[in-house]
Amino acid sequence: MVSPTRRLRVLIVLVAIIFSFVGARAVQIQVFNGKAVAAQAATDMTVARSVPAVRGTITARDGSVLALTESTVNVVADPKRISTNGKELTTMTQADRDKAASAPAAMADIIAPALGLDRAEVEAKLRKTDSQYQLLAKQVAASTWSSLNTALTEAGFIGITRESNPSRVYPYGSVASNVVGFMSDGKGAAGLERSLDSTLTGTPGREIFETSPMGKIPLGNQVLTPAVDGTDVQLTLDPDLQWMVEQRLADRVKEVSGNWGVAIVMDVETGQLLSLANYPSFDANNPGDAKAEDTGNRGVNAVYEPGSVQKVLTLASLLDAGLTTPDTTYKIDGTIDVGEHTVKDSFTHGPIDITTRGILVRSSNVGAITAARAMPAAKLRDYMVKFGLGTKTDLGLPGEVSGSVPPPDMAQYQADSMAFGYGVSVSAVQMAAAVAAVANGGVYTEPSLIKATGTEGAMNPAEAPASHRVVSEEAAHEVVKMMEQRTIYNDAQIGIPGYTSGAKTGSARLASTSGGYSGQVASIVGVAPVDDPQILVYVLVARPDTEGAGLGMAGPVYKDIMSLALPRYGVTPSASIDKTQLPLVKEEEPRR
C-alpha cells in the first residue's frame, strides 16, 4: 500500500510539471510571441469601414433642385452579438442566457413594424448566430432609424446598427428626367447622372476603429480619412418652362397618335438649352416602371433625316457663296430626276418660275436641288460640316449620335438628296444648333446644358462654348427673313401673336433599327423676333406612318411653346409686324 506521504510527493511533482508548462507557455506568449499575439488581438478588435462621399447635387438654372442625396442608412444586425446580448459567454448568468434566447423574437416585434418588414423574416435573420452581418433594410430614413434605435436601447437590446447608404431623390419626378437620368446600384445609370458620374461621386473616406462585444470602444484607437464630397452641377434648363413644354408635347403626341416627340427651346446667342423635352418620359424616382427605350434622351439618341428643315442650311450656304439671292428665279418643272429616282414637290405644279425665297416658303424639293447644283458637292458638304452635321455636339448626355453626311467624293445624286434633307442624318439637338447658327448672324455656337459647377455653394460658371462663323451675317439675315415669309404664308397656324417670327417645317423618313424606314418625323423649327432672334424652338413628332406633315403635326405645339418662351424671358414684343407676302412663284405661259 502506497503511503500518503508518497502520494503527496507525486501530486506535488505533477502540479509542478503542469505549472512549468503553463509558465513556459506564458513566457512564449508574453516574451517571444508577445508582439504577434498583441497584433492579432488588435486585429480581431479592429473594424474598417468606408465613409461614403455625398454625391453632388444637380440643380436647374434658377437653383431649383433636380437631384439630391438624402442621408439614409442601411439597418444591419449582428446575430452573434445578439445571441449573447453583448456579453462574454464565460460571464453570462442564467438570466443573461434566458434574455439572449428570447431577444430575437422580442427585437423582431420592435423592428418589423418600424421598418415595414415581415416579422418572421426579421426574426429568422436575427437567429443566424453563425453570422455577424445580416442586412435588414436598405436606405432607411435617418429619422426612422433614430426612433428604432431609441426603442431598442430602451428595451435593453443591442446588436442592431446602421451603415451609411445615401439615397438619390428627384424632387421634380419626371421633369427633365431624360436629361438628369437616374442611379442604379450606387452608380449613374442614365442621363447626366451617368455621364457625369465621376464628377458627382466624389472620393470615399475611410474609418478604422476598435470594437468590443458592446460596440465601438469610445477611447479606442480611431483613424478617420474624411470623404471628399462630389461636385454640384447647375444646368441651363428652366424647370418651369421644361414642365410646360413636356406637358404640351405629350398632349400633342397623343393627339396625333404619335410614337414619340422631342421639343427644344434654345437661347440663340449662348447656345444654352432652356428646355429639352422628351415624350414618352419617366419618373426618375421609379425608372423601373418605364420602358427602357423611354429612359434615354431621343433629343440626342434618335437619328432621322431632317427633311425640308435642311433647306434653311442649303440656302444659307448658297447665299454665303454668292450663288443666289432671295429674288433669284429658277425655272423648274413639277419633278426632277435624282439618280435613278424622280423627286417631286409636295404641291402639284407644272413648269413655274420660283424664287429662292419661294423655294423655302413653298418648300420646293425640285427648286432646292436645282439651286444647289450651282455649288460643287464637296463644298456644300463643307458647309454642312461647319453647321455641325456629322459630328456629336458633345452636349454631355450619354449615347449621343453623330449623325452622318455623305463623303467629300459623293455622287451628284447624294448631293441632290442632301440639298433637301435626305441622305443626311441628324439628331434633334444637332439640327437645332445648326439652325440657331443662322439665327445668330451666321455664327455657330456649341449647344450646352451645364451652366456652372462647384462645391459648398461656390459655383464656377462653365467655360464659354466654342463658336465659329459658318456664313456671313448678311446671308444669315436673308434666310431668317425668308423664314419670316414662311410664317406669313401660314400665319394662322404658326404666327406668334405680338412678335415677328420665322419658321421652317419638315417631314422626313425615320430609319428603322432593322434597316430601311419605319414611319416619319414631322417637324418645325422657328426663331423670334426676326430682327434680333433670341429664342429658337424645334419640335419633332414621330409617327408610325407617313400621314401628316410638319405644319399640321408639330405646328400647334411649336406655336404654344414659342408664345410661352418669348414673354417668359422678357423679349420685347415687336413694334410693328409687316405681313406683306413677297414674290414666291409665277406660272409660265403655256408651252406651244
Side-chain angles (χ1 to χ4, degrees):
M1 183 174 183
V2 180
S3 68
T5 301
R6 187 176 179 184
R7 283 202 298 267
L8 180 60
R9 289 175 179 172
V10 171
L11 180 61
I12 291 173
V13 170
L14 289 175
V15 171
I17 293 172
I18 292 172
F19 273 100
S20 296
F21 278 117
V22 172
R25 180 59 177 162
V27 170
Q28 180 187 17
I29 292 175
Q30 295 181 28
V31 178
F32 297 104
N33 297 336
K35 291 183 178 180
V37 173
Q40 182 62 46
T43 299
D44 292 341
M45 296 173 60
T46 301
V47 174
R49 290 179 181 174
S50 176
V51 178
V54 177
R55 191 174 180 86
T57 298
I58 300 176
T59 59
R61 67 184 299 114
D62 64 353
S64 300
V65 178
L66 300 175
L68 77 156
T69 299
E70 287 191 344
S71 299
T72 52
V73 299
N74 290 346
V75 178
V76 297
D78 182 346
K80 192 170 184 179
R81 284 180 61 198
I82 293 171
S83 68
T84 64
N85 204 30
K87 297 183 184 249
E88 297 290 348
L89 283 171
T90 56
T91 65
M92 291 180 69
T93 64
Q94 187 57 48
D96 291 334
R97 296 176 187 278
D98 292 342
K99 182 174 182 179
S102 63
M107 293 171 72
D109 289 337
I110 299 172
I111 296 169
L115 302 181
L117 302 175
D118 180 83
R119 186 202 168 285
E121 291 181 2
V122 172
E123 183 177 350
K125 288 184 176 182
L126 300 184
R127 290 192 181 280
K128 294 182 177 181
T129 56
D130 58 342
S131 170
Q132 289 183 285
Y133 184 94
Q134 288 292 310
L135 178 62
L136 300 181
K138 291 183 178 181
Q139 296 184 326
V140 174
S143 58
T144 301
W145 158 252
S146 179
S147 298
L148 173 61
N149 188 47
T150 299
L152 290 170
T153 301
E154 291 177 349
F157 295 119
I158 65 167
I160 304 298
T161 56
R162 61 181 171 86
E163 58 184 17
S164 179
N165 185 10
S167 58
R168 201 64 164 168
V169 178
Y170 304 92
Y172 277 73
S174 63
V175 176
S177 59
N178 298 91
V179 174
V180 175
F182 60 91
M183 294 182 65
S184 177
D185 296 326
K187 293 186 176 295
L192 294 175
E193 289 278 33
R194 177 178 175 181
S195 59
L196 299 179
D197 189 60
S198 59
T199 299
L200 293 164
T201 298
T203 304
R206 189 77 170 169
E207 182 184 18
I208 302 174
F209 58 90
E210 291 182 336
T211 186
S212 72
M214 294 300 292
K216 181 186 291 188
I217 300 174
L219 299 180
N221 292 328
Q222 298 187 40
V223 178
L224 175 63
T225 302
V228 178
D229 293 340
T231 300
D232 297 330
V233 176
Q234 183 178 25
L235 307 185
T236 62
L237 298 182
D238 176 341
D240 292 336
L241 179 66
Q242 177 79 17
W243 180 83
M244 291 185 282
V245 171
E246 287 180 354
Q247 296 301 307
R248 187 64 187 93
L249 176 66
D251 290 344
R252 188 58 183 166
V253 174
K254 294 173 186 176
E255 288 166 4
V256 300
S257 301
N259 289 342
W260 55 267
V262 172
I264 295 170
V265 182
M266 180 182 288
D267 183 311
V268 168
E269 182 178 359
T270 66
Q272 291 186 356
L273 295 180
L274 306 175
S275 174
L276 176 51
N278 282 248
Y279 179 81
S281 186
F282 68 100
D283 184 342
N285 293 300
N286 299 289
D289 294 343
K291 295 180 180 178
E293 60 266 30
D294 295 335
T295 61
N297 195 308
R298 290 185 171 96
V300 296
N301 300 152
V303 181
Y304 63 96
E305 292 173 313
S308 291
V309 171
Q310 174 80 2
K311 291 166 186 168
V312 171
L313 310 185
T314 299
L315 296 182
S317 303
L318 294 172
L319 283 162
D320 181 70
L323 297 176
T324 193
T325 70
D327 294 308
T328 298
T329 302
Y330 298 90
K331 295 181 181 296
I332 64 172
D333 292 323
T335 63
I336 190 171
D337 290 335
V338 174
E340 298 178 353
H341 301 277
T342 298
V343 174
K344 63 180 180 179
D345 283 332
S346 59
F347 60 103
T348 303
H349 64 84
I352 59 174
D353 288 348
I354 188 166
T355 63
T356 303
R357 182 184 300 108
I359 291 173
L360 188 139
V361 174
R362 297 301 303 276
S363 199
S364 172
N365 299 331
V366 177
I369 294 168
T370 301
R373 283 179 175 175
M375 178 177 283
K379 187 172 183 179
L380 180 60
R381 180 188 185 275
D382 287 344
Y383 273 107
M384 297 306 114
V385 171
K386 288 180 180 178
F387 275 120
L389 274 57
T391 305
K392 293 180 182 181
T393 65
D394 198 25
L395 195 63
L397 290 170
E400 181 174 1
V401 296
S402 61
S404 65
V405 293
D409 60 349
M410 73 184 83
Q412 184 58 48
Y413 78 88
Q414 291 176 295
D416 291 343
S417 298
M418 182 168 61
F420 71 104
Y422 283 77
V424 57
S425 65
V426 298
S427 71
V429 169
Q430 196 177 52
M431 200 64 191
V435 176
V438 176
N440 191 35
V443 176
Y444 178 89
T445 301
E446 190 79 21
S448 60
L449 266 173
I450 308 301
K451 184 178 181 182
T453 58
T455 55
E456 298 180 355
M459 303 299 287
N460 302 308
E463 291 185 10
S467 63
H468 61 266
R469 180 165 292 282
V470 183
V471 299
S472 68
E473 187 173 356
E474 181 182 2
H477 180 68
E478 292 289 2
V479 174
V480 173
K481 294 294 288 185
M482 292 181 192
M483 294 171 68
E484 180 183 26
Q485 287 291 300
R486 179 70 180 91
T487 298
I488 293 171
Y489 193 77
N490 291 105
D491 183 64
Q493 293 100 319
I494 56 177
I496 309 302
Y499 295 90
T500 57
S501 62
K504 183 68 191 81
T505 56
S507 298
R509 298 169 297 182
L510 182 65
S512 171
T513 55
S514 59
Y517 296 92
S518 175
Q520 74 166 4
V521 172
S523 64
I524 181 171
V525 64
V527 298
V530 168
D531 291 336
D532 181 21
Q534 297 181 46
I535 300 293
L536 176 142
V537 174
Y538 187 29
V539 178
L540 310 174
V541 176
R543 282 173 57 97
D545 52 40
T546 56
E547 299 296 322
L551 181 65
M553 297 281 290
V557 64
Y558 155 79
K559 182 173 182 177
D560 289 347
I561 293 172
M562 183 66 88
S563 298
L564 281 169
L566 289 168
R568 179 172 181 79
Y569 285 91
V571 179
T572 304
S574 302
S576 62
I577 301 176
D578 185 356
K579 296 184 180 181
T580 301
Q581 182 70 70
L582 299 177
L584 304 176
V585 301
K586 181 180 70 173
E587 293 187 1
E588 286 190 343
E589 293 292 330
R591 294 180 179 176
R592 299 184 184 278

